[in-house]
């Protein structure tokens, strides 16, 4: 019997395996590269360089590194100086350069990023050099959030993973109607607001607060954002009856991180003076050193000085009837003669003058007489006019329904606006 060569067996085996592998191997389709458009350019057509301006680096140095030389750089600067001042390129700012894909890789487009939204595009591909401002499309998403007070409002907001600037925005809106120091455990809040995004998913901050409600002492305090003046586009917050929340005076010279350590009291005993009865004609708002002190109303600064008992202090005349004074500041932020708006920071909490702890002593004059501001019937701003009140009540109907009904803690409602 004729024996088969082992070499022939091995060759036959590998030939069979090769045919089997070739038969079962999938046919890989050639995938096309993803087309990328940005800033109005097809990035696939260029070599794309993204970098950051270094210390002492100028526009001309950057372009020289990308094979654009002195004469052309001068031409670019002269052609676009009415749109962009190249002397003001800042250290740490990012930029993008689009260069040719040939062996020279010469820059053709320079994109300077002022921030995450705004850029300036310098296009020098052709003999006509162009410079334009570019603003990324902003997507605004409407969201609703609710929470319960356990300790204070700030901690309740932190527990919902919301940034402090939204907390301050709500404090501003309720500054006239709600004393945040007096919020109680199990008080409830709910509000609807905008979150802003670029490139669909990159969060860049908060937009407008649309509506809000606080349940405090069994009472619901509403706030609805409404444009009553269609000509000037002036927006204000009103309650469910159309009354403006903003009044002439704020309730406190500190937003909400404070406690009232001493009230207006003409029979008060002051430990600093040996526990003698000395009238206390102010209200003491205790807060941490460095906490901003704000003007409770618009007015003119008539005093800004330091005196032995007052320490650093500021006095503001609001009109012919009302004046306010703020004592014991660490530092003053305004000068005599300066006009300040309600809510402007006029100084910071300190311990200057006669004081045994950090606070601001807030004093209030009516018709040249010091009075207790919490016992005054202070003037309110003008409510909605009757001819637009019905329109307003229809406008807030859906928002009020959302605030009054139980929803999940955070719900993304819908995209409400996109802008370029």
């Amino acid at each position: 019997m004729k024996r088969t060569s082992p070499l022939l067996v091995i060759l036959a085996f590998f030939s069979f395996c090769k045919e089997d592998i070739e038969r079962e191997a999938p046919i890989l389709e050639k995938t096309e590269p993803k087309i990328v458009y940005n800033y109005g350019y097809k990035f696939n057509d260029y070599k794309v360089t993204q970098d950051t301006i270094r210390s002492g680096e100028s526009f001309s140095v950057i372009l020289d590194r990308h094979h654009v030389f002195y004469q052309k750089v001068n031409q670019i600067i002269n052609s676009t100086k009415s749109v962009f001042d190249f002397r003001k390129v800042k250290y740490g700012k990012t930029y993008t350069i689009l260069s040719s894909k040939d062996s020279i890789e010469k820059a053709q487009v320079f994109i300077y990023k002022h921030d995450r939204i705004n850029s300036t595009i310098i296009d020098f591909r052709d003999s006509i050099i162009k410079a334009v401002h570019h603003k990324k499309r902003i997507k605004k998403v409407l969201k609703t959030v609710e929470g319960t007070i356990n300790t204070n409002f700030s901690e309740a907001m932190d527990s919902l993973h919301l940034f402090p600037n939204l907390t301050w925005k709500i404090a501003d809106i309720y500054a006239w109607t709600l004393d945040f120091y007096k919020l109680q455990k199990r008080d409830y809040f709910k509000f609807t607001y905008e979150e802003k995004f670029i490139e669909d998913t990159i969060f860049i901050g908060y937009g407008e607060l649309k509506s809000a409600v606080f349940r405090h002492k069994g009472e619901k305090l509403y706030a609805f954002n409404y444009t009553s003046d269609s000509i000037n586009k002036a927006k204000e917050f009103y309650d469910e009856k159309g009354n403006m929340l903003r009044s002439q005076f704020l309730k406190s010279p500190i937003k909400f991180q404070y406690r009232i350590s001493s009230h207006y009291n003409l029979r008060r005993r002051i430990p600093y003076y040996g526990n003698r009865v000395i009238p206390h004609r102010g209200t003491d708002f205790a807060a941490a050193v460095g906490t901003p002190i704000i003007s409770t109303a618009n007015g003119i600064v008539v005093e800004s000085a330091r005196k032995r008992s007052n320490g650093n202090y500021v006095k503001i005349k609001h009109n012919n009837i009302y004046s306010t004074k703020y004592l014991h500041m660490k530092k003053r932020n305004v000068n005599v003669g300066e006009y300040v708006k309600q809510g402007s920071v006029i100084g910071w909490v300190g311990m200057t003058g006669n004081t045994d702890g950090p606070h601001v002593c807030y004093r209030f004059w009516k018709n040249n007489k010091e009075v207790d501001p919490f016992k005054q019937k202070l003037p309110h701003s003008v409510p909605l006019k009757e001819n637009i009140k019905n329109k307003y009540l229809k406008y807030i109907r859906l928002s009020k329904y959302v605030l009054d009904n139980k929803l999940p803690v955070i719900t993304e409602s819908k995209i409400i606006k996109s802008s370029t």
Side-chain angles (χ1 to χ4, degrees):
M1 184 175 178
K2 189 176 180 181
R3 297 178 63 185
T4 305
S5 167
L7 179 62
L8 291 175
V9 172
I10 293 170
L11 290 173
F13 174 76
F14 278 108
S15 176
F16 174 80
C17 289
K18 181 181 177 184
E19 289 176 5
D20 193 51
I21 291 170
E22 287 176 348
R23 186 168 54 250
E24 293 183 6
I27 300 173
L28 298 176
E29 294 183 6
K30 186 178 180 181
T31 57
E32 294 293 329
K34 183 181 178 181
I35 305 300
V36 178
Y37 283 95
N38 211 344
Y39 298 98
Y41 295 89
K42 185 180 177 183
F43 272 29
N44 307 65
D45 294 340
Y46 302 91
K47 179 196 173 187
V48 180
T49 303
Q50 309 218 35
D51 208 341
T52 302
I53 295 175
R54 299 156 197 164
S55 179
E57 197 171 44
S58 67
F59 174 68
S60 57
V61 168
I62 295 169
L63 285 199
D64 181 77
R65 192 164 61 243
H66 291 273
H67 314 294
V68 179
F69 304 119
Y70 183 75
Q71 187 177 358
K72 183 68 174 180
V73 171
N74 271 350
Q75 186 184 354
I76 294 169
I77 291 172
N78 291 329
S79 300
T80 60
K81 60 185 178 183
S82 62
V83 178
F84 184 67
D85 188 349
F86 290 95
R87 295 171 299 179
K88 294 183 179 178
V89 293
K90 295 180 180 178
Y91 161 70
K93 292 289 186 181
T94 57
Y95 64 88
T96 299
I97 286 182
L98 306 182
S99 304
S100 60
K101 274 191 166 182
D102 55 23
S103 58
I104 301 175
E105 295 184 348
K106 184 178 180 179
Q108 297 182 335
V109 179
F110 177 81
I111 303 168
Y112 179 79
K113 299 170 186 177
H114 302 278
D115 51 46
R116 289 191 293 178
I117 300 172
N118 301 288
S119 302
T120 297
I121 302 171
I122 312 296
D123 188 325
F124 43 92
R125 292 176 296 176
D126 304 319
S127 57
I128 300 175
I129 299 168
K130 295 176 289 186
V132 294
H133 294 302
H134 180 274
K135 188 172 184 178
K136 284 190 176 181
R137 172 182 168 271
I138 299 172
K139 181 174 77 172
K140 295 181 180 179
V141 177
L142 195 65
K143 296 210 170 184
T144 301
V145 67
E146 59 186 343
T148 303
I149 303 296
N150 289 315
T151 52
N152 58 55
F153 179 56
S154 183
E155 287 190 12
M157 291 288 281
D158 288 344
S159 71
L160 297 172
H161 309 293
L162 297 168
F163 293 108
N165 55 337
L166 186 58
T167 305
W168 286 91
K169 185 177 287 190
I170 294 167
D172 285 339
I173 292 164
Y174 279 98
W176 299 274
T177 55
L178 182 63
D179 189 339
F180 282 86
Y181 169 66
K182 292 182 179 178
L183 286 175
Q184 300 171 342
K185 192 172 183 178
R186 291 187 292 279
D187 278 353
Y188 165 87
F189 62 87
K190 186 175 183 179
F191 53 90
T192 302
Y193 66 102
E194 294 172 349
E195 287 188 355
K196 298 191 294 184
F197 298 85
I198 55 173
E199 298 171 14
D200 289 329
T201 58
I202 301 173
F203 176 74
I204 59 168
Y206 300 115
E208 289 185 345
L209 187 77
K210 294 294 186 180
S211 59
V213 65
F214 270 86
R215 188 181 64 215
H216 175 58
K217 293 182 178 179
E219 182 183 359
K220 286 186 175 181
L221 304 173
Y222 292 94
F224 298 99
N225 194 344
Y226 186 66
T227 306
S228 59
D229 187 341
S230 58
I231 298 174
N232 297 318
K233 305 294 183 183
K235 294 189 175 185
E236 287 285 357
F237 281 87
Y238 300 86
D239 66 14
E240 77 280 14
K241 297 178 181 178
N243 298 312
M244 189 184 293
L245 267 63
R246 179 168 57 87
S247 62
Q248 187 170 335
F249 284 90
L250 298 174
K251 285 183 172 289
S252 164
I254 296 176
K255 289 200 173 182
F256 54 83
Q257 295 173 322
Y258 67 86
R259 64 183 178 85
I260 297 179
S261 56
S262 180
H263 288 272
Y264 180 96
N265 185 355
L266 298 182
R267 296 182 179 181
R268 180 195 178 199
R269 293 181 181 273
I270 303 179
Y272 189 88
Y273 294 105
N275 213 34
R276 289 183 294 140
V277 174
I278 297 177
H280 184 241
R281 293 185 171 87
T283 304
D284 291 347
F285 292 82
V289 171
T291 302
I293 299 168
I294 58 177
S295 174
T296 55
N298 297 346
I300 301 290
V301 177
V302 292
E303 294 180 42
S304 179
R306 178 166 182 152
K307 290 184 179 178
R308 185 175 177 180
S309 58
N310 292 348
N312 282 313
Y313 76 97
V314 169
K315 187 173 183 180
I316 299 171
K317 183 177 180 179
H318 303 289
N319 51 34
N320 291 331
I321 299 174
Y322 298 105
S323 296
T324 56
K325 197 173 184 178
Y326 312 77
L327 281 60
H328 311 305
M329 294 179 173
K330 177 183 178 181
K331 186 179 179 182
R332 291 169 278 120
N333 193 43
V334 290
N335 299 312
V336 173
E338 192 173 333
Y339 177 79
V340 294
K341 290 186 176 181
Q342 186 178 66
S344 299
V345 175
I346 57 173
W348 294 270
V349 170
M351 293 179 60
T352 59
N354 294 344
T355 176
D356 56 1
H359 73 280
V360 55
C361 178
Y362 176 59
R363 296 192 171 185
F364 195 94
W365 280 263
K366 182 178 181 180
N367 294 321
N368 297 317
K369 181 181 178 182
E370 281 190 273
V371 295
D372 183 351
F374 295 103
K375 293 182 179 179
Q376 305 305 305
K377 189 175 181 180
L378 298 172
H380 287 270
S381 297
V382 180
L384 283 171
K385 295 178 181 178
E386 287 299 324
N387 60 342
I388 60 171
K389 191 171 180 179
N390 287 336
K391 185 179 177 182
Y392 166 77
L393 294 176
K394 289 180 181 178
Y395 173 82
I396 68 168
R397 193 176 296 163
L398 178 60
S399 296
K400 188 173 183 298
Y401 176 83
V402 171
L403 294 177
D404 287 341
N405 288 275
K406 187 71 177 175
L407 291 173
V409 173
I410 296 183
T411 60
E412 182 174 312
S413 301
K414 60 177 180 176
I415 298 172
I416 60 170
K417 184 180 179 183
S418 294
S419 61
T420 54

